[in-house]
Coordinates of all heavy atoms in Angstrom, one line a residue:
Chain A
R207 N 21.7 41.3 -64.0 CA 21.5 41.1 -65.4 C 21.3 39.6 -65.6 O 21.7 38.8 -64.8 CB 22.6 41.7 -66.2 CG 24.0 41.1 -66.0 CD 25.0 41.8 -67.0 NE 26.4 41.3 -66.7 CZ 27.3 41.5 -67.6 NH1 27.1 42.2 -68.7 NH2 28.6 41.1 -67.3
Q208 N 20.7 39.4 -66.8 CA 20.5 38.0 -67.1 C 21.1 37.9 -68.6 O 20.8 38.7 -69.4 CB 19.0 37.5 -67.1 CG 18.9 36.1 -67.4 CD 17.4 35.7 -67.3 OE1 16.5 36.4 -67.5 NE2 17.2 34.4 -66.8
F209 N 21.6 36.8 -68.9 CA 22.2 36.5 -70.3 C 21.2 35.6 -71.1 O 20.3 35.1 -70.6 CB 23.6 35.8 -70.1 CG 24.5 36.7 -69.3 CD1 24.7 36.5 -68.0 CD2 25.2 37.7 -70.0 CE1 25.6 37.2 -67.2 CE2 26.2 38.4 -69.2 CZ 26.3 38.2 -67.9
S210 N 21.5 35.5 -72.3 CA 20.6 34.8 -73.2 C 20.5 33.3 -72.9 O 19.5 32.7 -73.3 CB 21.1 35.0 -74.7 OG 22.4 34.5 -74.9
N211 N 21.5 32.9 -72.1 CA 21.4 31.4 -71.7 C 20.7 31.3 -70.4 O 20.8 30.2 -69.7 CB 22.8 30.7 -71.7 CG 23.8 31.5 -70.8 OD1 23.3 32.4 -70.1 ND2 24.9 30.9 -70.7
S212 N 20.2 32.3 -69.9 CA 19.5 32.4 -68.6 C 20.3 32.5 -67.4 O 19.8 32.8 -66.3 CB 18.4 31.2 -68.4 OG 17.4 31.3 -69.3
R213 N 21.5 32.4 -67.6 CA 22.5 32.6 -66.4 C 22.4 34.1 -66.0 O 22.1 35.0 -66.8 CB 23.9 32.3 -66.9 CG 24.9 32.2 -65.7 CD 26.3 31.9 -66.2 NE 26.9 33.0 -67.1 CZ 27.6 34.0 -66.5 NH1 27.7 34.1 -65.2 NH2 28.1 34.8 -67.4
S214 N 22.6 34.3 -64.8 CA 22.4 35.6 -64.2 C 23.6 36.0 -63.3 O 24.3 35.2 -62.8 CB 21.1 35.7 -63.4 OG 20.9 36.9 -62.8
E215 N 23.8 37.3 -63.2 CA 24.8 37.9 -62.3 C 24.2 38.9 -61.5 O 23.2 39.7 -62.0 CB 26.0 38.4 -63.1 CG 26.8 37.4 -63.7 CD 28.0 38.0 -64.5 OE1 28.0 39.2 -64.7 OE2 29.0 37.2 -64.8
M216 N 24.6 39.1 -60.3 CA 24.2 40.3 -59.6 C 25.5 41.0 -59.1 O 26.5 40.4 -58.8 CB 23.4 40.0 -58.3 CG 23.9 39.2 -57.3 SD 22.9 39.4 -55.7 CE 23.4 41.0 -55.1
N217 N 25.4 42.2 -59.0 CA 26.6 43.1 -58.8 C 26.2 44.0 -57.5 O 25.1 44.6 -57.4 CB 27.0 44.0 -59.8 CG 28.3 44.8 -59.6 OD1 29.4 44.3 -59.6 ND2 28.1 46.0 -59.3
V218 N 27.1 44.2 -56.6 CA 26.9 45.1 -55.5 C 28.2 46.0 -55.5 O 29.3 45.6 -55.4 CB 26.8 44.4 -54.1 CG1 26.4 45.4 -53.0 CG2 25.8 43.3 -54.1
S219 N 27.9 47.4 -55.7 CA 29.0 48.3 -55.7 C 29.1 49.0 -54.3 O 28.2 48.9 -53.6 CB 28.7 49.3 -56.8 OG 27.6 50.0 -56.5
T220 N 30.3 49.5 -54.1 CA 30.5 50.4 -52.9 C 30.0 49.5 -51.7 O 29.1 50.0 -50.9 CB 29.9 51.7 -52.9 OG1 30.0 52.2 -54.2 CG2 30.6 52.6 -51.9
L221 N 30.6 48.4 -51.4 CA 30.1 47.5 -50.4 C 30.0 48.1 -49.0 O 31.0 49.0 -48.7 CB 31.0 46.2 -50.3 CG 30.7 45.2 -51.5 CD1 31.8 44.2 -51.5 CD2 29.4 44.5 -51.2
E222 N 29.1 47.8 -48.2 CA 28.9 48.3 -46.8 C 28.9 47.1 -45.9 O 28.7 45.9 -46.4 CB 27.6 49.1 -46.6 CG 27.5 50.3 -47.5 CD 26.2 51.0 -47.4 OE1 25.4 50.6 -46.6 OE2 26.1 52.1 -48.1
L223 N 29.3 47.3 -44.7 CA 29.4 46.1 -43.7 C 28.0 45.5 -43.6 O 27.9 44.2 -43.5 CB 29.7 46.7 -42.3 CG 31.1 47.2 -42.2 CD1 31.3 47.7 -40.8 CD2 32.2 46.2 -42.5
G224 N 26.9 46.1 -43.7 CA 25.6 45.6 -43.7 C 25.2 44.7 -44.9 O 24.2 44.1 -44.9
D225 N 26.0 44.7 -45.9 CA 25.8 43.8 -47.1 C 26.2 42.4 -46.9 O 26.0 41.5 -47.7 CB 26.5 44.4 -48.3 CG 26.0 45.8 -48.8 OD1 24.9 46.1 -48.4 OD2 26.8 46.5 -49.3
S226 N 26.9 42.2 -45.7 CA 27.3 40.9 -45.4 C 26.0 40.0 -45.2 O 25.1 40.2 -44.4 CB 28.0 40.8 -44.1 OG 29.3 41.5 -44.1
A227 N 25.9 38.9 -46.0 CA 24.7 38.1 -46.1 C 25.0 36.9 -46.9 O 26.0 36.7 -47.5 CB 23.5 38.9 -46.6
L228 N 24.0 36.1 -46.9 CA 23.8 34.9 -47.8 C 23.0 35.3 -49.0 O 21.9 35.8 -48.8 CB 23.3 33.7 -47.2 CG 23.1 32.4 -48.0 CD1 24.6 31.9 -48.4 CD2 22.3 31.4 -47.3
Y229 N 23.6 35.3 -50.2 CA 22.8 35.7 -51.4 C 22.4 34.5 -52.2 O 23.2 33.7 -52.5 CB 23.7 36.6 -52.3 CG 23.8 38.0 -51.6 CD1 24.9 38.2 -50.8 CD2 23.0 39.0 -51.8 CE1 25.1 39.4 -50.1 CE2 23.1 40.2 -51.1 CZ 24.1 40.4 -50.3 OH 24.3 41.6 -49.7
L230 N 21.1 34.4 -52.3 CA 20.5 33.2 -52.9 C 19.9 33.5 -54.2 O 19.3 34.5 -54.4 CB 19.4 32.7 -51.9 CG 19.8 32.1 -50.6 CD1 18.8 32.1 -49.5 CD2 20.4 30.7 -50.8
C231 N 20.1 32.6 -55.1 CA 19.5 32.6 -56.3 C 18.5 31.5 -56.5 O 18.7 30.5 -56.0 CB 20.6 32.5 -57.5 SG 20.1 32.1 -59.1

Side-chain angles (χ1 to χ4, degrees):
Chain A
R207 60 177 175 167
Q208 187 180 33
F209 302 95
S210 58
N211 61 358
S212 295
R213 191 177 68 86
S214 178
E215 289 181 347
M216 69 163 281
N217 184 78
V218 188
S219 62
T220 320
L221 283 165
E222 300 178 359
L223 295 178
D225 296 333
S226 294
L228 181 66
Y229 289 89
L230 292 158
C231 167

